[in-house]
């Protein structure tokens, strides 16, 4: 089965947003063996959308549109679908009730035009939306299936995975070749070294295995095309286990798992706590750790020790260390890590300092130099890195280095029991 995906909104044409929903949809469809043959973006007009849907329907069995289902008159999708099929829009009573219920549970007055979202082209079905008011639309016209989902990613992703994909699986079955992908996220080992470890497993065959390097992490991506998903999953699992035999200790997660999630899991598993003292990263380490649901069980908090005032006054870094070694130094970073551990009583104190640039500010180190330190009972470790890129890149990579150091330490602690 061939599909086309149409993203609706001038923001994509103006270059203001990227079509991340379209990417997600293409990936999920591939898992079902549905091949996306074209992705387009169109502006928010009924004419443009109706024309795009009509064209796509001539080429592809499945047409998915994204966005333009909002309550305002400039949201064109419902109208465009109706025009394409040559039918009227009519209120779907069940969708209207769902909207009322959605607003009632949040104690909200119905916004202007909101019930317009319950109007569907005659003959279309509503796809329920638990995260917003706009239902999706599932519309069979002749041989074509047109499906429309709302644009906000927090509504789009759960509806795609939870509602539309299961529905397509039911209506179309697994047709054609099923494409399954698995990403193994690694950290703490450079791409060149991974290349040496698993060079002979890398392949452009089926399954294909490639390395994708980005700042502070290297992904190992395994992709396979098979006749059914059971065979595909088995092919992936076989390659994955060969890779894990060699470099398993460097893999912190799969697919959409993050390093910060893994750190929190390891902390919880060890019944341990951590706290951070951040200079160069300005709170990024705390921010990333607190992105993880349940992080309050393991992450106690942090201090953004950006100036000497805070380094001395709160983190208890000594005047003499600052004067002798400078704020960006192994000694001061270690002292910050010990300081935050003592203040909070955490098992692990993590600290960062560095020169994010563009100025060197009199330091003896080049721009991009960062120190990350981890303090645990009597033992304090420190690493020095040199990162390239903009201020933001350096900050990101320093936060990554800090989390990698913490993760590796926790992983080793768990293994030693
Ligand atoms: P709403 O009810 O919020 O108006 P909608 O279905 O009309 O929903 P849009 O107005 O098109 O959706 O988009 C709402 C938000 O979702 C915007 O911030 C937009 O940038 C984002 N969005 C829309 N389409 C996509 C997409 N294809 N990929 C990523 N984000 C998207
Ligand atoms: Mg809208």
């Amino acid at each position: 089965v061939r599909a086309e995906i149409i993203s609706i909104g001038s923001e994509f044409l103006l270059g203001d947003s990227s079509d991340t929903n379209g990417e997600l949809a293409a990936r999920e469809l591939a898992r079902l063996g549905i091949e996306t043959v074209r992705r387009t973006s169109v502006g928010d007009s009924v004419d443009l959308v109706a024309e795009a849907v009509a064209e796509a329907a001539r080429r592809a069995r499945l047409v998915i549109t994204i966005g333009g289902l909002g309550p305002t008159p400039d949201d064109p999708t419902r109208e465009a679908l109706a025009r394409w099929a040559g039918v009227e829009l009519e209120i779907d009573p069940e969708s209207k009730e769902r909207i009322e219920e959605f607003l009632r549970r949040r104690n909200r007055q119905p916004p202007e035009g909101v019930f317009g979202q319950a109007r569907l082209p005659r003959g279309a079905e509503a796809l329920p939306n638990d995260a917003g008011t706009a239902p999706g639309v599932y519309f069979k016209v002749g041989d074509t299936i047109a499906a429309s989902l709302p644009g906000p990613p927090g509504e789009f992703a759960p509806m795609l995975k939870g509602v539309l994909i299961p529905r397509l699986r039911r209506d179309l079955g697994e047709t054609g070749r099923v494409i399954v992908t698995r990403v193994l996220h690694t950290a703490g080992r450079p791409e060149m070294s991974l290349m040496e470890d698993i060079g002979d497993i890398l392949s452009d065959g089926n399954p294909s295995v490639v390395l994708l390097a980005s700042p502070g992490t290297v992904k190992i991506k395994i992709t396979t095309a098979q006749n059914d998903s059971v065979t595909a999953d088995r092919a992936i699992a076989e390659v994955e286990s060969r890779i894990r035999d060699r470099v398993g200790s460097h893999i912190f997660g799969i697919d959409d798992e993050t390093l910060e999630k893994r750190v929190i899991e390891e902390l919880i598993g060890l019944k341990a706590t951590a706290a951070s003292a951040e200079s160069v990263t300005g709170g990024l380490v705390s921010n990333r750790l607190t992105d993880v649901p349940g992080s309050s069980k393991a992450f106690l908090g942090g201090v953004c020790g950006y100036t000497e005032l805070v380094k001395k006054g709160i983190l208890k870094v000594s005047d003499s260390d600052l004067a002798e070694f400078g704020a960006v130094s192994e000694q001061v970073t270690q002292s910050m890590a010990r300081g935050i551990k003592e203040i909070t009583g955490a098992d692990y104190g993590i600290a960062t300092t560095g020169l994010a640039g563009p100025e060197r500010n009199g330091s003896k180190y080049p721009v991009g130099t960062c120190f990350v330190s981890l303090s645990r009972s009597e033992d304090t470790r420190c690493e020095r890195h040199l990162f390239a890129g903009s201020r933001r890149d350096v900050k990101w990579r320093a936060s990554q280095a800090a989390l990698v150091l913490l993760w590796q330490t926790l992983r080793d602690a768990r293994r030693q029991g």
Side-chain angles (χ1 to χ4, degrees), residues 7-8 11-12 17-22 66-71 75 117 150-153:
S7 301
I8 298 159
E11 64 264 38
F12 309 113
S17 301
S18 46
D19 178 16
T20 53
N21 291 341
I66 303 170
L69 289 173
D75 282 303
Q117 292 184 310

Side-chain angles (χ1 to χ4, degrees), residues 294-307:
S295 50
S296 63
K297 289 195 202 69
F299 179 64
L300 301 180
V303 169
C304 175
Y306 205 57
T307 57

Side-chain angles (χ1 to χ4, degrees), residues 246-318:
R246 303 213 199 146
V247 297
S249 65
H250 302 291
I251 298 172
F252 63 78
I254 60 166
D255 297 335
D256 53 9
E257 290 173 352
T258 60
L259 180 58
E260 41 273 37
K261 173 165 174 269
R262 181 61 181 270
V263 165
I264 294 292
E265 283 169 2
E266 293 280 9
L267 283 167
I268 290 174
L270 290 166
K271 297 194 165 53
T273 54
S276 65
E278 301 185 59
S279 183
V280 67
T281 48
L284 193 51
V285 173
S286 309
N287 185 34
R288 290 179 62 182
L289 288 171
T290 53
D291 278 342
V292 183
S295 50
S296 63
K297 289 195 202 69
F299 179 64
L300 301 180
V303 169
C304 175
Y306 205 57
T307 57
E308 294 203 352
L309 179 81
V310 177
K311 287 185 178 82
K312 286 193 286 199
I314 297 178
L315 295 167
K316 307 297 172 210
V317 176
S318 70

